Amino acid sequence: MPWRLRRAEPGDAPALSLVAAATFLETFAGIIAGPDMVHHCTINSSPAKFERWIADGACVATLAEHPDGGAPVGYSLLVPPDLPIDTDARDIELRRIYALSLTRGTGLGHRLMAIAIDEARALGRRRMLLGVLGINRVARAFYEREGFALAGTRQFQVGDTLYDDVVYARSL
């Protein structure tokens, strides 16, 4: 399917917020408690938060839209790294890359990753980092296919629960 991918711009924050919450719910329902998930998305995927990222020249958000009607179906977000490993100014964090399940098997994830890599290189970055839930085998397999290797671990809190993440890195 010819998904439309473009760099997010002012005014796209509500669409990014919607797809962020929907994909988080789709990915973690049954793993993260419902009330914790709602609270987490309300805080961390708010339109205001996306507005700040869009306005920040050190961040890049890419929006994927359905070709029929332009509904948001996926996104990626690059930010300065905030991970428990040694980083420097040449690093960037792929904070998020998600797509709705209706896009599975269409190559959208790979296209979002390719654009994120191109955007990171355009910012002069040399290494991309990301954190992912350690038990998320599907995501980990995707990142490994995309050239990422294990670089560390961290704990990530949602609500009152700590989750064990792995941190991946790849050279650009």
Side-chain angles (χ1 to χ4, degrees):
M1 174 149 315
W3 308 109
R4 294 188 310 222
L5 282 84
R6 62 180 178 80
R7 191 172 189 158
E9 53 194 38
D12 286 330
L16 287 161
S17 175
L18 176 67
V19 75
T23 55
F24 194 83
L25 174 64
E26 214 175 44
T27 302
F28 297 111
I31 297 170
I32 296 174
D36 290 346
M37 191 176 308
V38 171
H39 180 74
H40 179 82
C41 288
T42 300
I43 302 298
N44 296 297
S45 295
S46 69
K49 196 139 193 177
F50 277 103
E51 285 172 6
R52 287 191 296 276
W53 283 319
I54 291 168
D56 185 337
C59 301
V60 177
T62 299
L63 180 61
E65 299 171 317
H66 198 285
D68 298 325
V73 295
Y75 74 106
S76 66
L77 177 65
L78 295 169
V79 300
D82 181 20
L83 295 163
I85 64 171
D86 289 334
T87 62
D88 64 38
R90 295 169 297 174
D91 294 331
I92 196 159
E93 180 182 347
L94 180 62
R95 173 76 51 91
R96 300 184 188 172
I97 183 169
Y98 284 102
L100 291 171
S101 61
L102 69 93
T103 70
R104 285 201 185 108
T106 68
L108 177 59
H110 177 72
R111 287 185 58 210
L112 280 166
M113 181 64 77
I115 288 172
I117 289 168
D118 289 346
E119 292 283 7
R121 287 178 176 148
L123 291 171
R125 302 305 185 263
R126 298 288 176 251
R127 184 171 71 152
M128 185 178 287
L129 307 164
L130 62 88
V132 61
L133 182 62
I135 62 171
N136 189 341
R137 296 184 199 286
V138 172
R140 291 183 67 176
F142 170 75
Y143 296 133
E144 290 167 8
R145 284 192 307 274
E146 294 290 332
F148 286 85
L150 190 62
T153 61
R154 72 170 176 189
Q155 288 195 308
F156 187 80
Q157 186 166 354
V158 180
D160 293 330
T161 306
L162 285 174
Y163 296 90
D164 293 320
D165 283 5
V166 294
V167 176
Y168 278 110
R170 71 160 277 172
S171 295
L172 302 174

